[in-house]
Amino acid sequence: MFNHSRRNLARWFTLSMGSILVVFAGIVYYVEVQDKLKGLDRLLYDKASVMAASVQYDLRQSPSNVDLNHVPLLGSGSHPLDKELAYARWYTAQGQVTRFFGAPPPERLAVGPGFLTVQLADPLTAEEIWLRQATLPIKGRSEILGYLQIAAPLTEVQDGFFQFRLVLTFAVPVALGFIGLTGWLLGGAAMQPIRQAYQQLQRFTADASHELRSPLSAILTNAQVGLLSTPEDEPSHESLRNIVDSAKSMSALVNNLLLLARHQGRLAPESLKLVNLNVLLKDLAAQFTKLAAEQNLTLTYELSKLPIEVQADPDLLLQALENLLANACKYTPAHGVIHLRLVGHINWAIIQVVDTGIGIPEADLPHIFDRFYRVDTQRTLESGGFGLGLAIAQQMVKAHGGQIRVASTVSKGSTFQVELPLKPHYSELL
């Protein structure tokens, strides 16, 4: 139980912190990408400014006569910028291309002013390359002279992004591992006081139950002796009988509480024995057939043809199954039928207790294994129950690594199914 809670704490801690880490890594990566692109945009803008400063035009003509002969890359002079730019293009104010450097451009300007990431086929290798493109309007004194479009490869930036993603790919899982380990350690530290408090409560319950058994036994013995020595017509006889009934009831309650307190969690492997369920259930069916007959009930059983064996504490397992059968006998009207079935399934031994009893309302099904929970308080008190039988059955089954399920329909009956882990070699035979 505590290990399960600790795993849940560690799992939720890792999930929450891991989500924060992944979101944080995504934000950092996004900011890094935007920062790199802004840096490249500034570089493109500076280069475009240098080229725009070389544009010459005649103010006496309208529209102005633009001279690009002294513009780097586009003119006839040196090309100091050609190592960093993939292409440069000059479009007129009407969007018609007039000069270009690099890959052949479209005849008309197809995009508006601004920065854009584009994909282009390398004319030499035919490989697709990514470019950062800047399209800037070049203005004269009173009018737009044209549009200058330049682009630089994103290869270096993409390499940086790849390195960054590679770092995140290794760093994030490692960080998640450390977060999970931290969550496990913190979960253990958080569970420690709860474990101690629970163990103290469990020890108190066991001690109190044990100490109550002796006085209850003394009361029961003295009351029974009083009954034997008192004629039935004496006034004290009825009082003594009530004392005996109450003492028996209290003794059963104390025994149930002691059983619950002693067997929390999984059983130690050294306490388990190889139990043949076919033999155990056959003896149990014979035991309850007589009890069912006294209540005008019919008990049948169906066992697997193959022997089914599990590692179990036979006494505790028998206690769980007795509780289920006693519960079926208690809440099945006269002339009803109770069926006990044992079948083998992959890795599991399945035991079913099926009755044609009064059934359990759907709203009560999630709670019927809770301690002291009664579906019908008045009915349960009349039958002498404390609401611990099913809780004990569930705890005993879980102590063996199994599970218990229930399906029920009011006025039609209930089916309790116990699933116990099989020995590995038996699962291969079934």
Side-chain angles (χ1 to χ4, degrees):
M1 178 177 64
F2 293 105
N3 285 335
H4 179 70
S5 300
R6 185 180 183 181
R7 283 195 297 272
N8 279 339
L9 284 173
R11 186 180 301 116
W12 282 108
F13 180 79
T14 305
L15 185 61
S16 57
M17 296 302 295
S19 300
I20 294 173
L21 176 66
V22 171
V23 171
F24 179 74
I27 292 174
V28 170
Y29 180 75
Y30 175 79
V31 171
E32 180 69 14
V33 169
Q34 294 300 316
D35 185 61
K36 291 288 186 184
L37 289 180
K38 284 183 179 178
L40 186 58
D41 290 347
R42 283 196 298 270
L43 180 64
L44 286 174
Y45 184 82
D46 292 342
K47 292 182 180 299
S49 298
V50 172
M51 296 176 68
S54 303
V55 176
Q56 297 179 358
Y57 56 95
D58 189 351
L59 290 176
R60 293 171 297 182
Q61 295 184 6
S62 183
S64 302
N65 185 21
V66 178
D67 182 6
L68 301 176
N69 290 328
H70 303 285
V71 177
L73 300 181
L74 298 177
S76 56
S78 60
H79 298 163
L81 304 175
D82 57 352
K83 294 183 179 179
E84 298 177 356
L85 295 180
Y87 57 76
R89 299 160 181 174
W90 178 266
Y91 289 90
T92 64
Q94 292 74 33
Q96 184 69 37
V97 65
T98 56
R99 290 196 185 185
F100 66 92
F101 164 80
E107 292 295 327
R108 302 286 301 179
L109 182 62
V111 298
F115 296 91
L116 188 65
T117 300
V118 297
Q119 191 177 22
L120 187 69
D122 191 317
L124 299 179
T125 62
E127 293 182 356
E128 298 292 334
I129 57 174
W130 288 93
L131 305 172
R132 187 65 174 174
Q133 173 183 281
T135 304
L136 302 175
I138 307 301
K139 294 183 179 179
R141 286 184 178 273
S142 59
E143 59 183 352
I144 294 178
L145 301 177
Y147 295 91
L148 178 62
Q149 187 177 72
I150 60 175
L154 281 172
T155 307
E156 187 176 347
V157 178
Q158 286 179 316
D159 289 343
F161 292 162
F162 175 77
Q163 295 292 336
F164 193 54
R165 287 197 300 269
L166 193 62
V167 171
L168 291 179
T169 301
F170 285 100
V172 170
V174 171
L176 283 175
F178 279 108
I179 289 174
L181 179 62
T182 304
W184 177 256
L185 296 176
L186 290 178
M191 293 302 298
Q192 192 61 27
I194 301 175
R195 184 194 297 270
Q196 291 177 352
Y198 186 82
Q199 288 174 344
Q200 289 175 356
L201 179 62
Q202 184 181 2
R203 190 161 46 249
F204 169 77
T205 304
D207 294 342
S209 300
H210 181 73
E211 293 300 325
L212 283 172
R213 297 177 72 180
S214 297
L216 281 174
S217 297
I219 292 172
L220 180 60
T221 302
N222 289 324
Q224 288 174 332
V225 170
L227 274 178
L228 293 175
S229 60
T230 304
E232 292 188 4
D233 55 348
E234 285 196 7
S236 59
H237 189 86
E238 186 62 26
S239 300
L240 289 172
R241 184 180 296 278
N242 291 336
I243 292 174
V244 169
D245 292 340
S246 298
K248 287 182 177 178
S249 178
M250 287 293 295
S251 181
L253 175 61
V254 168
N255 287 333
N256 288 337
L257 289 175
L258 186 60
L259 187 66
L260 287 171
R262 281 179 173 174
H263 300 287
Q264 296 286 342
R266 292 289 298 269
L267 296 173
E270 56 270 18
S271 67
L272 302 179
K273 300 177 181 177
L274 191 61
V275 177
N276 187 316
L277 290 179
N278 303 61
V279 176
L280 185 141
L281 291 186
K282 188 175 181 180
D283 295 343
L284 188 62
Q287 174 189 340
F288 271 84
T289 297
K290 184 178 180 181
L291 176 63
E294 292 175 353
Q295 301 179 21
N296 293 324
L297 301 174
T298 302
L299 190 146
T300 61
Y301 65 89
E302 173 189 354
L303 304 179
S304 169
K305 296 180 180 178
L306 291 175
I308 298 179
E309 295 181 336
V310 296
Q311 290 287 347
D313 183 317
D315 295 333
L316 296 181
L317 185 57
L318 195 61
Q319 178 71 60
L321 298 175
E322 283 179 349
N323 285 4
L324 294 180
L325 282 173
N327 196 67
C329 291
K330 191 180 298 181
Y331 298 113
T332 300
H335 309 296
V337 177
I338 299 171
H339 187 62
L340 180 63
R341 179 186 295 134
L342 170 64
V343 293
H345 196 261
I346 301 174
N347 298 328
W348 296 94
I350 297 177
I351 304 169
Q352 289 183 331
V353 178
V354 185
D355 65 60
T356 57
I358 58 176
I360 303 169
E362 186 176 355
D364 294 306
L365 285 177
H367 309 290
I368 59 170
F369 294 109
D370 295 346
R371 296 179 184 181
F372 297 108
Y373 185 81
R374 297 182 176 97
V375 175
D376 185 334
T377 304
Q378 185 60 35
R379 183 184 64 189
T380 309
L381 288 176
E382 288 175 356
S383 62
F386 299 104
L388 289 175
L390 292 180
I392 291 174
Q394 185 189 49
Q395 185 166 319
M396 296 303 105
V397 172
K398 285 187 173 181
H400 289 84
Q403 52 189 354
I404 184 169
R405 307 174 190 272
V406 59
S408 183
T409 303
V410 174
S411 302
K412 292 187 178 179
S414 305
T415 299
F416 287 87
Q417 178 168 301
V418 174
E419 300 171 1
L420 297 170
L422 280 174
K423 289 187 65 180
H425 72 277
Y426 273 94
S427 62
E428 297 173 359
L429 295 175
L430 295 173

